[in-house]
Amino acid sequence: MNAAAEVQWEENGATHRARWRSESGAPVPRRIVVADDSLNADAAFRLACEGTAILWRGDFHNARQLLQAMNRRIGRKAVRKGGKGGKDDKPAATPAQAFHLHRQAQAQRAHTLGMLLLPLEGDYRIPLRRAPDVAEACGEAWGAADGQPALVSLRELLGLIGAHEWRRKGVEVPALGGRLHVHYGVFSPLRGEYVDLVAKASLPAGLRTAFDIGTGSGVLAAVLARRGVGRVVATDQDERALACAADNLARLKLAQKVELQQVDLFPEGRAELVVCNPPWLPAKPSAPLEYAIYDPDSRMLRGFLAGLAAHLAPGGEGWLLISDLAEHLGLRSRETLLGWIADAGLLVRERLDIRPRHPKVMDEDDPLHAARAAELTSLWRLVAA
């Protein structure tokens, strides 16, 4: 987030300034118009498409309805241009092309809908009629209020509110017999099949120490600790992830069994088991929050494989948890992955597969449905050659 950025606009004959808050890294709007409940959805959509941001001064619930109406107009515009469902709709030439077109459409949707802005007071209060209390949600994402007024897109603010509710309620993880409470900006283990693989795979003989590389919410470190691993070292670069993992481990009464370290990939030393669940798709994130999904040039995956042998104790194993969705999308071949494994001085002892259970597998309207329907999530058991 570019917390130091400032946004400026004209209102009631005066120039106003405020902090620009954007977790997605959206640039400061160049043009802003002030609007209220009298603005209709067609006019709002036209302004947003032209690159003009709309600072809302009307009723909060009306702003949410306006955002929904703008979202519907994006779908209609796609149909008129021959997009999904249009008479000129043509399938992408390759799965990779379908993926890139899908991401472009997602980015354009986010940009357009991000043009509807709300004001925030310095105490995180929204000065609008029927506005909810978002102070706790904002504090979880941004830290304590510092008294500076700000502008934020309604779409992002709703994301903060949703994340706060998820964090409060938690996500049930059957392998742990409990719930994880995932912080804003940290990947949530909603796709539980990779967790099930770690919970059920047979552990290496003589296991005393395990490393969890890129721990995120701490879910895999917690599973390993629950399985009886005496010492687990969990690493991550992101401060939010480490705070989230610490919170979850304390809730699960596992904090004494897991050591958290802020490092890039591996901690010092060797372990009988080294586990990593890197982002599954080799693509460039379009926002900071997407780094849990997209791994530019497969950096984390290749770094894990390249450094694994040097961090395995004699007879130890590395568990790579990854989906083959990238292969079905034509973004990375199986031969490439096997080549990286061999180049790192590793052998595949075994591969355990499981089919995803998430709703998109059955959604035939998803542009990536064919790839998702064929997807497998795998635990690759790797050993030094």
Side-chain angles (χ1 to χ4, degrees):
M1 183 188 68
N2 189 359
E6 185 180 72
V7 60
Q8 176 178 309
W9 72 98
E10 300 296 322
E11 186 175 2
N12 297 325
T15 299
H16 297 262
R17 293 178 177 83
R19 169 182 288 183
W20 171 244
R21 286 195 177 273
S22 176
E23 283 286 333
S24 68
V28 176
R30 294 184 178 181
R31 299 185 301 277
I32 298 178
V33 298
V34 179
D36 57 21
D37 303 311
S38 63
L39 180 70
N40 63 48
D42 287 333
F45 183 61
R46 183 169 57 253
L47 286 168
C49 288
E50 293 170 351
T52 299
I54 303 160
L55 175 55
W56 190 254
R57 294 295 189 187
D59 178 87
F60 177 85
H61 289 281
N62 288 347
R64 291 190 63 166
Q65 292 176 357
L66 178 62
L67 189 70
Q68 293 168 359
M70 292 169 65
N71 189 39
R72 290 194 294 270
R73 279 158 176 76
I74 292 175
R76 295 173 193 167
K77 183 177 180 180
V79 170
R80 288 197 300 270
K81 287 189 174 183
K84 184 73 176 175
K87 65 179 182 180
D88 298 324
D89 195 16
K90 296 180 180 179
T94 65
Q97 184 183 30
F99 169 74
H100 292 301
L101 290 173
H102 176 58
R103 291 205 68 206
Q104 288 175 12
Q106 286 182 315
Q108 184 57 49
R109 181 184 296 270
H111 175 75
T112 301
L113 298 180
M115 288 293 173
L116 184 57
L117 311 181
L118 294 189
L120 276 180
E121 300 289 4
D123 57 358
Y124 293 145
R125 182 176 59 87
I126 304 174
L128 301 177
R129 294 189 307 276
R130 296 199 293 170
D133 183 351
V134 299
E136 189 173 358
C138 292
E140 288 174 351
W142 300 327
D146 58 9
Q148 297 187 45
L151 297 188
V152 61
S153 87
L154 173 58
R155 188 172 187 264
E156 285 199 19
L157 187 61
L158 293 176
L160 262 69
I161 295 171
H164 168 66
E165 288 302 309
W166 274 108
R167 176 173 175 175
R168 183 177 63 82
K169 296 176 182 177
V171 177
E172 187 68 31
V173 181
L176 288 173
R179 305 180 77 84
L180 281 187
H181 297 263
V182 181
H183 295 194
Y184 181 75
V186 180
F187 186 73
S188 179
L190 293 174
R191 289 189 54 167
E193 67 267 13
Y194 72 95
V195 180
D196 292 342
L197 287 170
V198 171
K200 296 175 182 178
S202 58
L203 296 172
L207 175 56
R208 296 184 300 275
T209 300
F211 295 162
D212 175 22
I213 309 303
T215 193
S217 66
V219 61
L220 297 184
V223 169
L224 293 172
R226 276 281 166 84
R227 293 195 65 184
V229 179
R231 176 175 179 254
V232 181
V233 181
T235 70
D236 211 295
Q237 293 189 92
D238 185 70
E239 292 183 359
R240 279 177 170 168
L242 292 169
C244 178
D247 179 36
N248 282 311
L249 292 166
R251 288 174 182 267
L252 294 166
K253 298 182 172 24
L254 296 171
Q256 299 303 314
K257 296 184 177 182
V258 181
E259 176 188 343
L260 296 171
Q261 293 188 17
Q262 185 173 15
V263 297
D264 183 10
L265 296 177
F266 299 94
E268 292 185 2
R270 295 173 180 263
E272 291 80 20
L273 177 61
V274 183
V275 176
C276 183
N277 174 38
W280 291 347
L281 296 175
K284 182 180 179 181
S286 58
L289 297 179
E290 291 187 344
Y291 274 93
I293 304 170
Y294 301 113
D295 186 12
D297 197 30
S298 299
R299 187 201 75 86
M300 184 175 181
L301 170 59
R302 292 187 296 111
F304 170 71
L305 294 173
L308 178 58
H311 289 86
L312 284 177
E317 293 185 10
W319 288 4
L320 171 64
L321 292 140
I322 197 164
S323 155
D324 64 359
L325 182 61
E327 298 173 19
H328 295 296
L329 290 173
L331 304 177
R332 181 178 58 232
S333 70
R334 176 61 58 91
E335 290 72 22
T336 296
L337 176 59
L338 291 173
W340 290 342
I341 292 172
D343 291 345
L346 301 168
L347 296 175
V348 179
R349 172 172 289 175
E350 185 183 17
R351 196 185 76 236
L352 307 175
D353 299 328
I354 190 171
R355 288 208 171 273
R357 302 184 294 266
H358 59 89
K360 287 188 176 181
V361 172
M362 306 301 295
D363 183 6
E364 296 184 1
D365 290 329
D366 185 338
L368 308 181
H369 171 69
R372 294 192 195 279
E375 179 185 7
L376 288 176
T377 301
S378 300
L379 186 158
W380 296 72
R381 305 181 70 144
L382 306 174
V383 296

